[in-house]
Amino acid sequence: MELFIVFIGTLTLSTREAHINKAKKNGYEVTETISKSTTFLICGKDGDQTIINKAKSYGVRIISEQKWVETLHKVETCGTGKKRTRSDNNKSQNQKKLVYLESRQYRRFWQMRRVYKTTYIRTGSIGSKGMETSKEYETKRLAKESMTSMIASKKVSGYKEARRPQSLDYEDSSDSSDDNFGDENDENDYKYKQKKQKLENEESESDATLHGDETSDVDNGAAALKEDEDEDLSTIKSLPSLPSFITNPKSSMSIMKGNNSVDVLLAHPWKPDETDPTGWWISEKLDGVRAFWNSKRGKFYSRNGNEFVPPSWFSKGLPRDKDLDGELFGGRGKFQSTISIVKAGVEEWKNITYEIFDVPTLGLLPFEDRMKYLKKMIAENKPQYAKLVKQKSANSERDVYDELERVEKLGGEGLMIRKPGSLYEMGRSKTLLKIKTFYDGEAVVIGHEPGKGKYLRQCGSLLCRMASGKEFKVGSGMNDNDRINPPSIGSIIIYKCQELSNSGSPRFPIYLGVALDKDKPTDPDFKQKVKIK
């Protein structure tokens, strides 16, 4: 297998020409531009970010000049050896180890191979060449286990073995599925090849199986998470140990920006005619305050970077090495009281919990593996004020409607559904969908209307402006405290309504509370309402 590399930026440890000559001497092919065939990108100082982003999109591994020099030295000290070509007999045996599956329902193919400690997955539409990604595991055993799990999961989700198209014969980034390279009796050559394969990215890892829309199809054991709705995690005495690539990943994500704002995963509305929810994960949409747990700082932040300051005992038991995404939740129908506690409460924090629904640090792993980590963390740490949001698998579209009806009868806001095997994406994603039977939006408070009767000398209603510029009044939903201390002029409030009037104003608006994590209004999305069948 040829390894193509590209050098960018200012190289300081040696001249560019010396680096290129040494790379070629050790069997690497040096090119000037990034392509899907590129294996490694070596970055000097002031490397072009556009090239780095392009490399990430192709699944190219990115390493520093220092790491390149160190690794190349290790390769040279392991001995050198000629590249060997496989015999036709070896190729035939290796092809048998390759697994090729197709889903006629979704008209997609999924192919997986393993080369020693590295798995290679190619996926795409049937008839296309698709896109290949790879992941290197710490041991050969872990790679085998992962491959077995992924194949079984794909078959459970409807993929079946099929005849592999000849057009894919020469499209793989590695042309061998055997555990060894070349002559198995040549131990030095074998070690040399392994060292060459093991270039790792410690500074900007672009690991493999986990980039882009294509690879979000990788389903790593979705069936293993079918959780009973009434399961109590506190009763679990022991959980199976997680693979080391989950508990100690080589690379991790961070969704914190420089100004403390947080680029969290956001949902699109569910459109029944576009997305079949069968096999997706269902959870209740909580009517609380979105909160990101920064484990290194030991603090909660809103999407806009506003810090929430609970008493120290509230966060006891939360991890100090994994960031969390969740909701500060005081119960159904208690959004306003939750807002009050988060803004100024102390002892009142005992009345809310941190409902965890994801772990962004492990965002490059499939959703099911992230849930396994959270279950293990909750069981081991036993945080008193943190819970894992319950997930249940939808067997059909009817399951979604039944659950939506059940939740809304209990006073819940709606549902969230999550695509199996999906990664944690920053920003709005089609892998996370929200379902509600009413519209909600945000508006800017531009005035206070005086109250009458029992609300004399209090605020009767809020004068608000929508993102569209349309002005309206809302008083329904405000409690006594809201009327005595109404939201200040310029603040963003959340409201819900049935529909828009002919003039464009919300009909029967209901005040829900102040939006702590918003800095501008958003009008209701009138395409997201779902009618219960």
Side-chain angles (χ1 to χ4, degrees), residues 41 102 135 172 216 246 306 351 353 358 415 493:
L41 175 66
E102 286 184 356
K135 179 174 181 62
D172 301 321
S216 66
I246 294 178
N306 296 320
N351 297 323
T353 55
D358 218 322
L415 299 179
I493 61 111

Side-chain angles (χ1 to χ4, degrees), residues 114 119 139-149 179:
R114 183 180 60 81
T119 57
T139 66
K140 175 179 169 182
R141 180 180 61 81
L142 288 177
K144 281 185 175 181
E145 290 177 354
S146 175
M147 185 170 184
T148 301
S149 174
D179 284 355

Side-chain angles (χ1 to χ4, degrees), residues 148-206:
T148 301
S149 174
M150 289 187 186
I151 292 171
S153 180
K154 278 295 176 185
K155 289 183 177 180
V156 167
S157 64
Y159 280 75
K160 297 180 180 180
E161 292 188 18
R163 184 175 181 179
R164 183 173 184 262
Q166 290 185 351
S167 61
L168 294 179
D169 282 352
Y170 301 100
E171 289 299 321
D172 301 321
S173 64
S174 170
D175 61 358
S176 171
S177 294
D178 204 348
D179 284 355
N180 299 326
F181 297 89
D183 185 355
E184 294 182 7
N185 295 322
D186 190 343
E187 183 66 21
N188 286 335
D189 189 56
Y190 172 74
K191 289 182 179 180
Y192 165 69
K193 294 286 187 179
Q194 289 305 307
K195 289 290 183 180
K196 218 170 184 183
Q197 285 291 311
K198 200 178 179 180
L199 276 174
E200 296 176 349
N201 170 23
E202 292 182 347
E203 296 185 1
S204 181
E205 179 89 4
S206 60

Side-chain angles (χ1 to χ4, degrees), residues 253-273:
M253 287 179 57
S254 175
I255 59 176
M256 286 291 292
K257 296 180 180 178
N259 60 355
N260 279 353
S261 62
V262 185
D263 199 1
V264 295
L265 172 65
L266 300 173
H268 280 284
W270 178 50
K271 298 178 181 179
D273 56 338

